[in-house]
Amino acid sequence: MKLSFSERLSGHRRPRTLRVLREGPVLHVELNRPESGNAVNEAMLDELLAVLTVPDPEARVLVLSGAGNDFSLGGDRDEFADWLDEDQEGRGIRIAGDKARRVCEALSTGQIVTIARVQGKAIGAGMALALACDLRVGADTASFRLPELALGLPTAWGGMLPRLIHELGAARTREIILTGRPIAAAEAYELSVLQRVVPEEELDAAVTAWAKPIARRPEAAVRITKALLNSYMAANRMADPAILDSELMATVAAASRRARDARDTREGTADALPVC
């Protein structure tokens, strides 16, 4: 069911897009829209925020995964188009973009350690969600890609750009964004997009091998160490304009839509002219 803009703003009840299960001190959060390749829509962002901003007090580690064949194929393009149809200034994109930034910040800066378990493809927003986690393990068949430029959009989702530059370096980030080429698991490991690569059937064991010792560490020590790591990483950044991501995305998307509509109008007018 397509929700109106006012229904989204009012917090209308929607089908669940996550599966959440705690096993002892480990909280498993699974993106659960396999029929769409776990495309990230606003409902999923709302549910992620609810889990991340009010965490289970017994959880020490959070594992983020995706149902089905892929971790996530990126943002929900149908919903994106609906937002522009409803409001050509991109207000819906701004609202969802702000939620995306808050989700990724919560994964990165929250008190518990976050682990991304990546299988299949992690594209666009999917790559951003994985990159926001403290630790990232992927299947040897996993791949990553940033197709935003090909879609006429800036790489501005969830504060991804400063994270990419910090983790990969500016030169590598530039090449990956400008070409939009896929990154296979082996290269993702070399670039530190992934910190471990295993056969897909060993993904769960690899996650457990990380989660178990972390969960046994004194809670205060882990929490403070994560805060220190984030503080030192932030100190190495000249600036982090990620708060502007939603504005940039909305502005470019709205401008692209207006340009496309104007082109279609011109072409339609030309087609209607009689041939002399």
Side-chain angles (χ1 to χ4, degrees):
M1 178 181 67
K2 176 182 170 182
L3 299 172
S4 71
F5 191 66
S6 60
E7 285 176 320
R8 290 201 303 273
L9 287 176
S10 66
H12 185 84
R13 289 181 63 85
R14 288 159 287 197
R16 293 193 64 82
T17 64
L18 303 179
R19 244 194 316 248
V20 181
L21 172 68
R22 183 166 63 80
E23 294 181 336
V26 180
L27 185 67
H28 295 272
V29 179
E30 184 180 58
L31 310 179
N32 189 33
R33 298 185 69 210
E35 72 286 349
S36 68
N38 298 315
V40 181
N41 61 5
E42 191 177 5
M44 184 180 285
L45 293 173
D46 286 338
E47 291 178 20
L48 282 168
L49 280 173
V51 171
L52 295 169
T53 57
V54 187
D56 186 324
E58 301 300 319
R60 302 288 307 285
V61 177
L62 184 149
V63 178
L64 183 66
S65 62
N69 296 325
D70 298 296
F71 180 76
S72 172
L73 299 183
D76 190 317
R77 297 185 192 177
D78 291 337
E79 186 176 63
F80 198 91
D82 288 343
W83 286 330
L84 285 176
D85 287 340
E86 293 176 11
D87 179 358
Q88 293 196 5
E89 295 304 312
R91 187 177 177 219
I93 297 172
R94 290 182 178 88
I95 291 171
D98 181 63
K99 292 177 181 180
R101 177 181 58 80
R102 289 161 54 203
V103 164
C104 290
E105 285 182 354
L107 287 168
S108 295
T109 64
Q111 294 188 359
I112 66 175
V113 174
T114 53
I115 299 174
R117 177 196 181 280
V118 182
Q119 88 285 4
K121 297 176 182 178
I123 298 176
M127 183 173 177
L129 287 173
L131 199 69
C133 292
D134 300 310
L135 300 172
R136 303 175 291 273
V137 59
D140 53 10
T141 53
S143 65
F144 299 82
R145 189 163 63 89
L146 296 174
E148 282 79 3
L149 282 183
L151 300 173
L153 298 170
T155 306
W157 195 95
M160 176 164 50
L161 188 54
R163 286 191 185 92
L164 278 169
I165 293 172
H166 189 273
E167 299 278 283
L168 281 64
R172 287 292 192 183
T173 297
R174 188 182 304 119
E175 186 261 340
I176 288 167
I177 289 175
L178 293 177
T179 64
R181 66 176 179 81
I183 306 165
E187 184 182 6
Y189 176 76
E190 293 175 2
L191 294 173
S192 295
V193 173
L194 293 173
Q195 292 130 313
R196 189 175 179 189
V197 176
V198 298
E200 186 164 347
E201 62 271 18
E202 298 178 18
L203 269 177
D204 290 330
V207 168
T208 299
W210 274 345
K212 273 191 173 180
I214 293 170
R216 288 197 299 264
R217 305 287 189 259
E219 186 273 336
V222 173
R223 172 168 45 82
I224 292 171
T225 298
K226 178 171 176 175
L228 284 170
L229 288 168
N230 282 321
S231 295
Y232 284 121
M233 287 188 293
N236 291 330
R237 297 178 184 173
M238 292 295 290
D240 185 353
I243 195 169
L244 300 176
D245 276 4
S246 58
E247 185 69 33
L248 293 169
M249 183 73 77
T251 300
V252 174
S256 297
R257 168 61 70 88
R258 286 194 295 269
R260 190 189 72 188
D261 289 348
R263 184 186 65 243
D264 291 346
T265 299
R266 288 196 302 271
E267 291 175 353
T269 302
D271 291 342
L273 292 175
V275 178
C276 298

